[in-house]
């Protein structure tokens, strides 16, 4: 079998908290194969976001390693092409319209061309916002914003998407739609997915469900 | 276009917003500073430019002066004119005199000029408002305008000129009568100091008044266009006897020009503070923007943006505001310069100060002269200062860690 898209070994992370130290992750191991979807559940404050940040290379673990397809280079330069991120509060740039927000991922990667613009349009169509390309985030509903964020995460054709409670700010129905869309798009693009969620039903839709507790990752 | 420039532009000019308040107000501060710099530097440059012309129009670009007198001046003129870059030279004699008309007296400088050669060096004729330089003979003079007004003398009047030799002759018990001369012209140079204290006569008249015989006080020299004055003075000096020296007009009037230059530099730096204050407001708005956009900055990191590029995004906003403000300021400034005389006229009319203005002002109109170098200096300084204002916000943005920025809900 080829290298896993994501491979984490012995991840430990603690934060100073007053005089003591808060051990958030105590040795997390995780392998995600190409195109595989993994859900992670856990109590609020159990360290899910902390883990995702380590997996995305945004933060460094106290010990342990993160490798993307076998390489421990998880720097900004590689991240732009390799990884897409989806957040609870969407994080769209308010001054940019939907299409420009999607294209921002490509601008940062470099190589914005006609084909890229066409792809952004196509992705917006796939998330059901084909006719909203020139609307600003402030003109879109929560669910629509999150769908723009999905399109942005997929823009550079990443091998892996990490989503941190993408439905946390959405109502039940809208959230279901977004998760369906996320899983569907990842499956059709053979993109691996790590989905952090509170919602058991959403978690169950992933191929593998995990649970983060006491700083360790276990089967859900 | 790199993403950080694109984003900087979009943050300054958000899509779908036709009036970007933050950008316009920030740029306005810079624009005001640049406007004032352009107008004030333009007018000050105008004074300097006019003064340069008044000096060279009345005294030539190079002045040749003797410690005492220059004897045999035709030979010296010939030598000076043989120097490369020299177009013409003309002799002069100048000293204080007293002139009387009726019961009014004035104490101007009377300058004796050689009618045959003076026009080739100093184009005085263009300043003669009434009469003509060619009407001048050994028994007539041309008065400057304010002097004539002060005396109440007009063309055709006869006035008395008292030589400074009168005092000398008094000791020798001789009688030295004042010279009766006719006024044949009125001259207006446009500079208050010159217009209130200059009289022109022939060289012969001046030589008589000052007891010079056939000697003169010095030569005024006109150079060919584009010849450097200091270089020409050095070349002329090489052919002159040791007690006769040539000076460029910049050298001859260096004290005066130094003060003028100092004034200009001081005003420039004082007005620059308007731009600096504007830059502080740009900086504080950008700092607020960095704080407000903390989570976006985190997002840019998550999308693979490098800290240096995130910094560039904010620095570029300072740059763009600077460019915008400078462009607007230049436009406003040049417009102001174009209408400067209307403005001054309006102000003096409203305040009823027209007469005072004319009396105490050195020039009858507000001159303006802006060299390309000055415009470039103003623009470059304003843009650099605004860009520097983006530096601190940029540094703050670059220092933000994406994880922490994203957590800051
Ligand atoms: N930078 C930090 N400094 C201090 N404590 C932190 C920091 N980041 C996270 N924590 C703490 O670590 C724990 C896990 O946080 P987080 O990963 O955000 O939890 P979750 O996403 O599972 O709700 C929380 O108790 C949080 O307060
Ligand atoms: Mg979280």
């Amino acid at each position: 079998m080829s290298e896993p898209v994501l491979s984490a070994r012995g991840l430990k992370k603690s934060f100073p908290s007053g005089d003591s130290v808060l051990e958030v992750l105590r040795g997390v191991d995780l392998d995600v194969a190409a195109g595989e979807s993994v859900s992670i559940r856990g109590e609020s404050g159990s360290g899910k976001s902390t883990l995702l940040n380590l997996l995305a290379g945004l933060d460094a673990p106290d010990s342990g390693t993160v490798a993307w397809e076998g390489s421990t280079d998880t720097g900004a330069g590689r991240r732009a092409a390799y990884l897409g991120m989806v957040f609870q509060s969407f994080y769209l740039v308010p001054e940019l319209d939907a299409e420009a927000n999607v294209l921002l991922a490509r601008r940062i990667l470099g190589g914005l061309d006609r084909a890229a613009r066409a792809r952004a349009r196509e992705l917006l169509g796939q998330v059901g916002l084909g006719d909203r390309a020139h609307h600003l985030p402030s003109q879109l509903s929560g669910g629509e914003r999150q769908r723009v964020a999905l399109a942005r995460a997929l823009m550079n054709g990443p091998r892996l998407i990490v989503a941190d409670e993408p439905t946390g700010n959405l109502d039940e129905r809208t959230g279901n739609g977004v998760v369906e869309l996320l899983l569907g798009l990842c499956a059709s693009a053979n993109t691996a997915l790590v989905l952090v969620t509170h919602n058991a039903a959403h978690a169950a839709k992933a191929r593998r469900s995990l649970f983060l507790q006491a700083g360790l990752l276990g089967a859900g | 276009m790199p993403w950080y420039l694109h984003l900087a532009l979009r943050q300054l000019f958000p899509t779908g917003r036709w009036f970007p308040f933050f950008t316009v107000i920030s740029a306005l501060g810079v624009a005001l500073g640049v406007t004032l710099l352009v107008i004030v530097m333009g007018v000050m440059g105008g004074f300097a430019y006019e003064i340069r012309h008044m000096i060279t129009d009345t005294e030539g670009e190079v002045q040749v002066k003797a410690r005492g007198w220059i004897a045999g001046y035709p030979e010296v003129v010939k030598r000076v004119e043989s120097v490369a870059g020299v177009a013409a030279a003309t002799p002069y004699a100048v000293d204080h005199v007293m002139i009387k008309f009726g019961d009014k007296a004035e104490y101007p400088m009377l300058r004796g000029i050689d009618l045959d050669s003076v026009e080739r060096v100093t184009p005085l004729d263009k300043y003669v408002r009434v009469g003509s330089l060619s009407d001048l003979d050994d028994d007539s003079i041309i008065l400057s305008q304010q002097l004539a007004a002060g005396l109440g003398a007009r063309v055709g009047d006869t006035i008395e000129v008292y030589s400074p030799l009168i005092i000398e002759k008094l000791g020798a018990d001789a009688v030295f009568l004042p010279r009766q001369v006719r006024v044949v012209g009125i001259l207006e140079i446009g500079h208050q100091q010159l217009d209130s204290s200059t009289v022109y006569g022939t060289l012969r008249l001046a030589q008589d008044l000052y007891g010079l015989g056939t000697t003169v006080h010095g030569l005024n020299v006109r150079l060919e266009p584009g010849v450097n004055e200091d270089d020409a003075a050095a070349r002329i000096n090489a052919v002159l006897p040791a007690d006769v020296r040539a000076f460029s007009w910049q050298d001859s009037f260096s004290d005066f020009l130094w003060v003028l230059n100092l004034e200009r530099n001081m005003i420039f730096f004082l007005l620059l503070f308007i731009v600096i204050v504007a830059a502080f407001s740009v900086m504080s708005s950008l700092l607020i923007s960095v704080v407000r956009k903390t989570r976006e900055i985190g997002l840019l990191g998550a999308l693979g943006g490098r800290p240096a590029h995130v910094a560039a995004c904010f620095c570029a906003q300072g740059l763009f505001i600077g460019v915008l403000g400078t462009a607007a300021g230049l436009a406003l400034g040049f417009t102001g310069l174009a209408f400067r005389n209307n403005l001054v006229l309006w102000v003096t009319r409203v305040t009823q100060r027209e007469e005072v203005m004319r009396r105490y002002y050195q020039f009858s109109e507000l001159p303006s002269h802006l060299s390309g170098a000055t415009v470039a200096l103003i623009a470059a300084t304003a843009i650099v200062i605004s860009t520097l204002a983006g530096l601190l916000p940029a540094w703050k943005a670059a220092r933000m860690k994406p994880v922490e920025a994203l957590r800051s809900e």
Side-chain angles (χ1 to χ4, degrees):
Chain A
M1 201 186 109
S2 62
E3 290 275 9
V5 165
L6 176 71
S7 162
R9 286 287 169 276
L11 291 183
K12 288 190 181 171
K13 186 75 180 174
S14 50
F15 296 107
S17 143
D19 308 332
S20 62
V21 172
L22 181 68
E23 285 185 72
V24 179
L25 302 178
R26 299 164 188 252
V28 170
D29 297 323
L30 176 65
D31 279 313
V32 180
E36 187 185 18
S37 58
V38 176
S39 69
I40 298 176
R41 282 197 299 154
E43 308 257 304
S44 182
S46 58
K48 306 182 295 294
S49 297
T50 304
L51 174 60
L52 280 196
N53 287 336
L54 295 184
L55 299 180
L58 288 179
D59 204 358
D62 296 340
S63 68
T65 56
V66 173
W68 294 345
E69 277 180 347
S71 158
T72 54
D73 171 16
T74 57
R78 192 163 172 228
R79 179 160 59 243
Y82 192 81
L83 182 107
M85 291 184 85
V86 182
F87 305 92
Q88 181 172 347
S89 354
F90 328 133
Y91 293 153
L92 298 182
V93 178
E95 291 90 355
L96 301 179
D97 65 22
E99 185 181 291
N101 263 292
V102 175
L103 278 174
L104 182 61
R106 179 58 63 87
R107 280 186 192 277
I108 289 178
L109 176 67
L112 179 70
D113 53 15
R114 195 179 280 266
R117 287 177 196 280
R119 175 169 169 78
R121 282 303 183 93
E122 186 194 317
L123 280 167
L124 280 174
Q126 285 176 10
V127 299
L129 295 172
D131 52 348
R132 310 295 295 275
H134 294 300
H135 286 206
L136 291 174
S138 58
Q139 296 165 314
L140 299 174
S141 71
E144 288 164 342
R145 290 183 207 185
Q146 194 60 299
R147 284 188 275 158
V148 173
L150 294 190
R152 178 178 64 193
L154 287 160
M155 179 65 210
N156 294 337
R159 306 281 292 136
L160 171 68
I161 284 185
V162 296
D164 192 356
E165 300 189 40
T167 62
N169 279 355
L170 303 176
D171 62 64
E172 178 90 26
R173 241 177 51 129
T174 315
N176 290 343
V178 164
V179 167
E180 290 290 350
L181 197 56
L182 180 59
L183 285 162
L185 288 170
C186 284
S188 65
N190 197 34
T191 301
L193 171 69
V194 177
L195 171 67
V196 164
T197 179
H198 270 308
N199 186 313
H202 294 165
K205 289 181 178 158
R207 192 186 305 169
R208 196 144 58 98
S209 293
L210 300 174
F211 206 89
L212 184 62
Q213 198 171 29
L216 293 170
L217 209 50
Chain B
M1 196 191 313
W3 68 267
Y4 44 90
L5 292 186
H6 174 260
L7 194 57
L9 276 175
R10 272 285 167 274
Q11 293 191 334
L12 292 176
F13 305 101
T15 314
R17 183 109 55 83
W18 64 270
F19 192 78
F21 267 105
F22 158 74
T23 309
V24 168
I25 288 171
S26 299
L28 213 56
V30 179
L32 273 177
V34 171
T35 304
L36 271 183
L37 271 170
V38 165
I39 292 180
V40 174
M41 285 292 111
V43 170
M44 294 201 76
F47 284 135
Y49 188 79
E50 296 281 302
I51 283 168
R52 178 213 157 106
H53 276 277
M54 278 166 203
I55 290 174
T56 58
D57 279 1
T58 53
E59 308 227 10
E61 287 148 315
V62 172
Q63 291 80 41
V64 174
K65 293 171 200 162
R67 194 163 301 149
W69 306 269
I70 300 178
Y73 70 81
E75 168 59 22
V76 181
V77 167
K78 215 173 283 171
R79 266 205 231 171
V80 169
E81 286 185 336
S82 71
V83 171
V86 172
T90 184
Y92 70 85
V94 67
D95 208 337
H96 279 284
V97 294
M98 179 173 94
I99 57 178
K100 262 188 90 176
F101 180 66
D103 52 2
K104 292 200 179 120
E106 295 277 357
Y107 307 86
M109 304 290 282
L110 187 146
R111 203 173 172 87
I113 51 177
D114 175 34
L115 290 177
D116 294 336
S117 59
V118 71
E119 275 291 299
R120 281 188 284 136
V121 177
T122 55
L124 286 174
D125 214 19
K126 77 175 185 201
Y127 294 117
V128 178
R129 296 280 172 269
V130 184
S132 155
L133 209 56
S134 55
D135 296 341
L136 210 57
D137 61 26
D138 295 346
D139 292 305
S140 58
I141 56 168
I142 291 179
L143 287 176
S144 54
Q145 187 259 329
Q146 290 185 29
L147 201 54
L151 290 168
R154 288 193 222 143
V155 170
D157 288 338
T158 300
I159 66 173
E160 291 180 332
V161 180
Y162 293 76
S163 149
L165 290 179
I166 285 183
I167 297 173
E168 238 172 84
K169 296 287 152 103
L170 268 181
D173 259 351
V175 184
F176 196 82
L177 290 175
R179 193 76 180 242
Q180 306 281 328
V181 294
R182 257 174 322 110
V183 178
V184 295
I186 307 287
L187 169 124
E188 185 181 12
I189 291 169
H191 189 274
Q192 198 265 339
Q193 212 171 316
L194 293 176
D195 282 342
S196 62
S197 67
T198 318
V199 177
Y200 282 93
T202 61
L203 190 60
R204 184 71 258 148
L205 175 68
Q207 284 171 329
D208 286 354
L209 285 170
Y210 309 142
L212 292 176
T214 59
T215 66
V216 295
H217 283 135
L219 308 181
N220 291 324
V221 181
R222 167 73 43 188
L223 302 178
E224 270 149 18
V227 175
N228 180 286
E229 295 91 341
D230 288 310
D231 297 349
R235 285 199 298 273
I236 293 169
N237 272 325
V239 302
L240 287 176
D243 59 340
V244 181
R245 296 287 82 191
F247 305 92
S248 66
W249 67 272
Q250 292 97 326
D251 252 358
S252 299
F253 296 87
S254 61
D255 294 356
F256 180 58
L257 293 174
W258 187 83
V259 172
L260 213 67
N261 218 18
L262 181 76
E263 273 175 12
R264 243 157 77 84
N265 291 343
M266 259 168 44
I267 298 266
F268 181 81
F269 281 111
L270 285 178
L271 290 183
L272 205 57
F273 270 88
I274 300 181
V275 178
I276 293 174
V277 170
F280 272 105
S281 93
V282 171
M283 187 191 296
S284 85
S285 330
L286 285 177
L287 278 173
I288 291 169
S289 157
V290 167
V291 173
R292 216 161 41 87
K293 293 181 181 301
T294 299
R295 293 188 299 159
E296 278 171 54
I297 291 169
L299 166 85
L300 293 173
L303 287 178
R306 293 165 196 281
H309 291 166
V310 174
C313 178
F314 284 92
C315 212
Q317 292 185 48
L319 169 74
F320 291 151
I321 288 171
V323 169
L324 203 72
T326 302
L330 289 180
L332 276 174
F334 282 114
T335 313
L337 277 182
F339 291 105
R340 66 189 182 280
N341 282 316
N342 309 40
L343 280 174
V344 171
L345 212 66
W346 180 77
V347 170
T348 52
R349 211 164 271 166
V350 165
T351 55
Q352 308 200 318
R353 285 285 190 279
E354 279 175 279
E355 203 38 56
V356 181
M357 174 87 183
R358 192 157 309 144
R359 184 111 55 86
Y360 294 105
Y361 220 42
Q362 303 225 313
F363 297 84
S364 26
E365 279 204 329
L366 262 194
S368 140
H369 179 80
L370 257 190
S371 65
T374 310
V375 177
L377 179 73
I378 292 173
T381 325
I383 291 172
V384 166
I385 288 175
S386 325
T387 311
L388 287 180
L391 227 49
L392 182 64
W395 179 73
K396 271 195 84 99
R399 263 179 21 128
M400 278 183 187
K401 295 217 174 69
V403 229
E404 280 158 28
L406 287 169
R407 272 177 57 82
S408 73
E409 293 212 22

